[in-house]
Each structure stands twice: as C-alpha cells, then as structure tokens.
Amino acid sequence: MPLVTTRSKDEPRLSRPVRVAEAIKDWVVEKGLKAGDRLPSEPEMIEQFGMAKGTIREAMRILEAQGLVRTRTGPGGGSFVHEVSKQRARALLGNYFYFKDLTIADIYELRCTLEPQLAASLAGKLSDEFLDQLEENIASYPEPAQTADEEREQHIASLRFHALLATQSRNKLLAFLIDFMTNMLADLTVYRKLYNPPNVELWQKGRDYQVHLVQALRDGDAKAAHQIMGDHMATAQTLMSLQEAEMQKRFMSE
C-alpha cells in the first residue's frame, strides 16, 4: 500500500513511522472499521504495509499516543480501533494553542460568529427538561460575587451554560468548537486571574442575557435568540477585554 499523506511543501518530510501511521488510519477508514474493531496482528501489518517490525511498532505507538488505538494484553488481547474522547481531543488541540498567546478578542471573534447561529438553530427545538437545566445553571449564580474566589466559580458556571447549549447542536463540529472555546476561555480566566476584582456589571448583564435567551428558546423565537446571543457575546467581549487590560496594567505595575 502506498504511504500517501497530504502536506504543504514548507512542512518537513514526515518520518517513516509517521507515514505508516497515517497509512494505517487511511486503511481503517477504507475498511469502515469502527471503535472496538480489532486491527490486524503485527505480522499481518508487516505484510500489509511492507514495513519492518520496528517501523510498524513505532507507528502503532504513535496511533496509541493519539488515542486512536488501544492495546490489550492477555487472552482476547490485541490492538483495537479506539474513539478519541471529546476531553482528549480538547486537550490535544489545547496543546497546539498553548504557546500561541491567544487573547480574549481572538476567542470572542469566533464566539460572536458561531454562538448566535447556534442559539437561532435551537429555538423551539429544546425539551422543557433541558431548558430547565439551563435555568438551574443560571440559578447557581443568583447574586454578585463578593470575593475573587466566588467570581471565578461564577464565571466558570456561566461559561458552562454555553457548553451545555452546544451539546444540543446537530452539527458536531459546531458543538465541539463552542465547547472548546468555552473551556479555553475558562482556563484563560483562571490562569490570567481575569476574575479579580469581581465585576458586577459582567455578572448582571451576562445573567440577564441568559435569562432572556432561555425564554426566547422556549418561545421558539429564532430571531430573538440570535439577537440576544449576539448582544451577549459583544457585551461579554467588551467587559472581558477590559478585565484583561486591567490585569495587564496590574502586572506591569508590580
């Protein structure tokens, strides 16, 4: 089987084990294998891909590190196709952005585009039980925070509202991207201490937008849901950017 991978001319040439790992992934897709299906044995892999034992083993280690293969020992053991969990995918993608020095504006540029569309698409399509769950989440921050620790917990809970909403999207890519952004924003908030000092305006406006959004979703009003979420994101971006600027000012004065 030819070892074909797609890369730009500026990227370094991939090592042989990496190219074999990519070829194995292509083969799995071609064969229609699913999570839990057994992969060929090592001798069969050697014959299938025409590579030495060491190269095959290294390729399998790469796939296992990526979370795409799981190996079991003992009776009934072997190598099996494994589905990467959302948590694992989020962590791997987060590692890519670790040294990218993302800003609040970078994240909200996407949130302002994606989340209003998500809200509009879900208007009138959510169960009463799920809408009650959103309201229960809002009820977890009924009063402004009095301390920095309370502000941090409230901010994370407020972001959880958006992650919950994203789970209801039929578009799995959209759901993952919004979930990833909310978790990254939560991490940035904690890491850069953007929750200190407590911001009453951020709490008040954010909570009000969420309350009105749930009502629009109950009413099936897609236009209102889109407008409310758009205003929510724009306001949050402005207030969070001010928090970020204040944090940088404090850092420079220390």
Side-chain angles (χ1 to χ4, degrees):
M1 173 178 290
L3 305 182
V4 178
T5 57
T6 302
R7 62 187 181 91
S8 72
K9 64 180 182 180
D10 296 324
E11 291 177 343
R13 179 176 174 80
L14 301 177
S15 68
R16 182 171 294 174
V18 171
R19 287 185 286 129
V20 172
E22 292 297 317
I24 293 173
K25 287 195 289 186
D26 291 342
W27 180 84
V28 166
V29 172
E30 290 172 5
K31 295 297 182 181
L33 299 186
K34 305 296 183 183
D37 288 345
R38 182 188 295 272
L39 290 168
S41 66
E42 186 176 274
E44 291 172 324
M45 286 279 195
I46 292 171
E47 181 178 355
Q48 175 75 31
F49 296 97
M51 291 291 165
K53 180 190 297 185
T55 301
I56 294 295
R57 288 186 175 179
E58 183 60 27
M60 293 298 287
R61 280 194 286 267
I62 290 170
L63 293 175
E64 192 163 9
Q66 293 175 351
L68 294 169
V69 167
R70 183 177 61 179
T71 301
R72 295 202 303 262
T73 58
S79 295
F80 301 83
V81 177
H82 186 62
E83 183 176 3
V84 178
S85 68
K86 181 174 67 175
Q87 292 75 19
R88 180 69 178 276
R90 197 167 60 203
L92 291 172
L93 186 56
N95 290 341
Y96 171 77
F97 287 107
Y98 190 79
F99 295 105
K100 300 300 182 183
D101 195 26
L102 291 180
T103 65
I104 294 298
D106 292 329
I107 296 174
Y108 273 97
E109 184 175 0
L110 284 179
R111 292 193 76 192
C112 287
T113 299
L114 299 180
E115 296 208 39
Q117 183 60 39
L118 170 70
S121 71
L122 295 177
K125 298 179 182 177
L126 300 174
S127 68
D128 288 339
E129 290 77 14
F130 182 78
L131 291 167
D132 290 345
Q133 187 179 352
L134 290 179
E135 289 180 335
E136 288 172 7
N137 190 86
I138 297 171
S140 68
Y141 35 95
E143 302 292 339
Q146 300 300 312
T147 67
D149 286 343
E150 287 182 7
E151 178 79 1
R152 181 186 66 242
E153 294 305 315
Q154 286 191 2
H155 191 80
I156 292 173
S158 179
L159 288 169
R160 189 180 305 124
F161 175 96
H162 298 272
L164 281 170
L165 195 60
T167 65
Q168 302 303 296
S169 176
R170 294 182 179 179
N171 185 325
K172 299 304 180 185
L173 178 58
L174 177 62
F176 176 80
L177 288 174
I178 292 175
D179 177 77
F180 175 71
M181 287 188 294
T182 56
N183 279 274
M184 177 170 284
L185 190 55
D187 290 344
L188 281 178
T189 298
V190 173
Y191 177 70
R192 298 179 183 176
K193 297 185 178 180
L194 302 182
Y195 54 85
N196 189 23
N199 189 323
V200 176
E201 185 180 9
L202 182 63
W203 167 83
Q204 180 68 65
K205 290 187 174 180
R207 191 175 186 279
D208 286 348
Y209 280 127
Q210 290 180 354
V211 168
H212 288 108
L213 176 62
V214 172
Q215 188 59 55
L217 293 172
R218 282 192 189 277
D219 295 341
D221 192 336
K223 184 177 179 180
H226 189 284
Q227 183 66 50
I228 293 167
M229 183 66 90
D231 292 343
H232 181 17
M233 291 296 96
T235 301
Q237 178 177 0
T238 297
L239 295 176
M240 286 297 292
S241 294
L242 290 173
Q243 289 284 100
E244 185 177 46
E246 180 63 27
M247 179 278 299
Q248 291 173 343
K249 187 192 304 181
R250 293 200 310 268
F251 177 78
M252 292 176 65
S253 64
E254 292 178 353

